Amino acid sequence: MAELNVRHLTFRLLQVYVTVVRSGSVSEAARQLHLTQPTVSQQLKRLGEAVGEPLLENQRGRLVPTEAGRELYRASREVLGRFEDFDEYLTALRGGERGRFSIALVNTAQYVLPRLLGPYSQAHPEVEVTVHFGNRRQMLTRFERQEDDLYVFSHPPPLTHAMAGRFLRNPLVVVAPVGHALAGRERIAMSELLHERFLLREPGSATRMLFDNWLHEQGRVLGPTLQMASNEAIRIGVASGMGLAVLSEHVLPPEHPDLVILPVEGLPLESHWQFIVRRDRRLPHAAQGFLRFASEHLDKCVETRFLCNELDTLLEGLSRHWERTAAGP
Amino acid sequence: MAELNVRHLTFRLLQVYVTVVRSGSVSEAARQLHLTQPTVSQQLKRLGEAVGEPLLENQRGRLVPTEAGRELYRASREVLGRFEDFDEYLTALRGGERGRFSIALVNTAQYVLPRLLGPYSQAHPEVEVTVHFGNRRQMLTRFERQEDDLYVFSHPPPLTHAMAGRFLRNPLVVVAPVGHALAGRERIAMSELLHERFLLREPGSATRMLFDNWLHEQGRVLGPTLQMASNEAIRIGVASGMGLAVLSEHVLPPEHPDLVILPVEGLPLESHWQFIVRRDRRLPHAAQGFLRFASEHLDKCVETRFLCNELDTLLEGLSRHWERTAAGP
DNA sequence: GCCATGCATAGACCATTATCTATAACTGCT
DNA sequence: AGCAGTTATAGATAATGGTCTATGCATGGC
């Protein structure tokens, strides 16, 4: 008959009840809750009706829970506690201390982003980060499909739905094996290289695109080429004398005794990696936290010569953007 | 800033939310809950505002929870589950399958009540029973103070605030050691016993009171007496030849080769044990369940010659009483 | 037996909620 | 571009909830 009607049960009601049980007195509970005594009495009555069972009984002046009341007290404590936990969780989430986000990187960036992600995830062990790698074309697809929270491009797609912030120089250089004929020269014209064999990244990769564009601007066409979809493979190929290549400096190890960078005219090709954030996808607090972290710790994580930290501007733009969006009536 | 305001959070809201998350669709949830779609939409909005964080996002047609939403879902499940448990608990409580009650027994009744309590608590292992023993006077004090849920008296106090139901004959007999001079006689007048030494229970005990009253009615006075506050001690005392005694038949073991019951005129003194229930104290469901159990199983638990089961009447009276009380506007 | 204290009930009030219908805006698919 | 289905917004309304003040009732101490 008197079913427990959970429908109109409020957390407030439970809070009041818990206070009453703890203090053993309606009046005292009312004082603690800054309410009047009748208010509390009535809440108790409602609660009792919802439960369909007497909850409290008077034992020489003190209100003591009945059997049902004791169990309700336990349940209330647990339930209220659970939501306090949830509140804490929310706070952590908002502070970027926990949660998750995903980030999509063009392949070449994988040589340097771990330097940031490592320290970050050590400082924020509760944040789950997913990293996707691929060449520029694949990253563009993910970007279109809004699959990730952050993207790293050197040459981003049109920013109509996104915002960008540069954070790292990404110079492209021509590398040759250490014993190459041109290795000692102080200055080399591009025209001198056109008959050399070049090891190229696949079409669709950013490195390839940049180099192709540059050549095209100059109206030049390469001689024999060999295509490999891996920076590593190319680097080793060059070291082994397979030919020359255009690579991001980040691909080269700090010490590279078997490779030399050729001082070609017009090179290095300057470009910058940037974090890209879609404006039409809510940025998780954790991702924003990562950007803050990057902005603050970048200088400790990468070599100074590559530094180019414009993340402050991005972060500022972001908060302005979300303010405006959230303020919508 | 946007603190989690748990105050106006309803369980209903969580139920709706859980349904939406499960079905991945507002419309579908509305159908399941027999609500209109806008209603559900608005509930979600309110919930989202209370949490201060987006909870759901559209992922190619399906609503999936955000990070915060996932955690809220977990919390909601737990919380709703906890109250379902509580509901089950209540059902068990109402059915008398669990809970607790206390029962106060005059000492003599302790020879027979375990025969009922044993089978009862085997059948209802979740019910916690507390039994208090003492002589009649002590039990009366407990009764006045409303310390227990059930009382067992042979001669109860005035029933202005209580109801009673007899359940067991309690004949008082005169016992003598097996070799006693009067042991073989077919009929004995009380006058013949007055010079015998009697072992008596203490004043305040029911047995003593009954015997005293009986003697008083007949205008007789006992000879030498010896007082002991224990039925056991008296029984053994009689068996050892210390004198005669008036005892409840229940105190005698089924076989008692060292004792005989004297066929005294006017004896046995007939009295009945009864369960007493205060009307001004809510009877726990479990206690009521015990009375039901007693009513049904009494014949299997005690010797037939002691049977006197009027508990049905008590139970009926109880339910009428509580109906009337509960119906009060 | 009276007074202080604490609890319950009654009546009133306003804010919030739950719910609807109608309609607009969006989304994915063809 | 249009359609079907889904979601969001607006406006309305009845019920509920949370709170108060005033008052009645019980109880324990002096």
Side-chain angles (χ1 to χ4, degrees), chain A residues 169-305:
Chain A
R169 291 183 52 231
N170 179 34
L172 298 189
V173 294
V174 174
V175 293
V178 108
H180 195 273
L182 297 169
R185 292 268 298 280
E186 287 208 347
R187 207 168 162 160
I188 303 171
M190 189 58 208
S191 53
E192 298 179 65
L193 299 180
L194 293 182
H195 60 281
E196 297 278 343
R197 161 137 75 178
F198 268 82
L199 309 189
L200 296 178
R201 285 287 304 280
E202 75 285 7
S205 78
T207 305
R208 172 71 175 267
M209 181 189 77
L210 284 172
F211 187 43
D212 279 356
N213 285 350
W214 184 69
L215 287 173
H216 186 75
E217 273 169 25
Q218 306 197 326
R220 298 185 191 276
V221 177
L222 282 185
T225 63
L226 197 154
Q227 195 173 293
M228 297 200 283
S230 152
N231 288 316
E232 284 298 293
I234 290 175
R235 180 168 59 82
I236 292 163
V238 172
S240 319
M242 288 175 70
L244 307 184
V246 171
L247 287 177
S248 163
E249 264 194 61
H250 294 288
V251 173
L252 307 179
E255 304 291 314
H256 42 89
D258 45 0
L259 288 176
V260 289
I261 296 175
L262 299 185
V264 178
E265 260 174 45
L267 289 190
L269 283 178
E270 269 301 337
S271 73
H272 295 85
W273 276 320
Q274 357 194 346
F275 284 114
I276 313 290
V277 179
R278 294 200 64 109
R279 269 199 302 243
D280 47 8
R281 191 183 202 275
R282 207 178 61 88
L283 190 65
H285 294 285
Q288 194 161 351
F290 171 65
L291 288 180
R292 270 200 308 277
F293 181 92
S295 172
E296 284 165 25
H297 296 90
L298 194 61
D299 51 351
K300 288 157 230 150
C301 300
V302 301
E303 289 176 60
T304 314
R305 61 191 172 117

Side-chain angles (χ1 to χ4, degrees), chain A residues 7, chain B residues 12-44 56 62-63 73:
Chain A
R7 237 171 117 99
Chain B
R12 174 59 167 172
L13 219 49
L14 302 185
Q15 286 178 329
V16 170
Y17 178 65
V18 166
T19 310
V20 171
V21 171
R22 269 209 261 269
S23 62
S25 147
V26 171
S27 302
E28 179 52 29
R31 278 189 287 274
Q32 287 178 22
L33 294 162
H34 307 294
L35 293 172
T36 59
Q37 167 266 313
T39 301
V40 176
S41 274
Q42 205 206 337
Q43 304 273 52
L44 280 182
L56 298 168
R62 247 185 103 73
L63 287 178
Y73 178 74

Side-chain angles (χ1 to χ4, degrees), chain A residues 1 8 12 91 99 102 111 120 122 124-125 127 129 142 149 156 164 176 187 197 209 256 291 314 320-321 326:
Chain A
M1 41 178 143
H8 293 284
R12 175 58 168 172
T91 310
S102 69
Y111 289 89
Y120 170 77
Q122 284 215 310
H124 302 266
V127 177
V129 188
R142 296 190 68 89
D149 300 305
R187 207 168 162 160
R197 161 137 75 178
M209 181 189 77
H256 42 89
L291 288 180
L314 172 60
R320 258 205 314 279
H321 173 63

Side-chain angles (χ1 to χ4, degrees), chain A residues 26-144:
Chain A
V26 172
S27 303
E28 178 52 31
R31 279 189 287 274
Q32 286 178 23
L33 294 162
H34 306 293
L35 293 173
T36 60
Q37 167 264 314
T39 301
V40 176
S41 276
Q42 204 208 343
Q43 304 272 50
L44 281 183
K45 192 178 168 189
R46 274 215 316 123
L47 186 58
E49 279 163 7
V51 171
E53 203 69 20
L55 298 173
L56 298 168
E57 55 190 357
N58 221 313
Q59 255 175 37
R60 51 174 175 288
R62 244 185 106 74
L63 287 178
V64 174
T66 63
E67 195 62 25
R70 256 189 295 277
E71 188 64 18
L72 176 62
Y73 178 73
R74 278 181 221 120
S76 303
R77 294 276 323 251
E78 284 173 37
V79 158
L80 292 172
R82 183 62 183 84
F83 264 72
E84 275 168 34
D85 290 351
F86 176 60
D87 197 13
E88 270 179 40
Y89 179 91
L90 279 184
T91 310
L93 204 67
R94 282 196 258 265
E97 294 155 34
R98 82 183 300 150
R100 65 179 73 183
F101 67 95
S102 69
I103 180 166
L105 303 180
V106 291
N107 277 320
T108 310
Q110 79 188 268
Y111 289 89
V112 65
L113 230 85
R115 292 183 203 284
L116 264 174
L117 282 169
Y120 170 77
S121 55
Q122 284 215 310
H124 302 266
E126 302 279 17
V127 177
E128 214 175 290
V129 188
T130 311
V131 185
H132 295 275
F133 297 105
N135 66 26
R136 178 184 156 80
R137 186 173 294 156
Q138 292 165 322
M139 289 307 100
L140 275 177
T141 309
R142 296 190 68 89
F143 178 82
E144 293 304 335

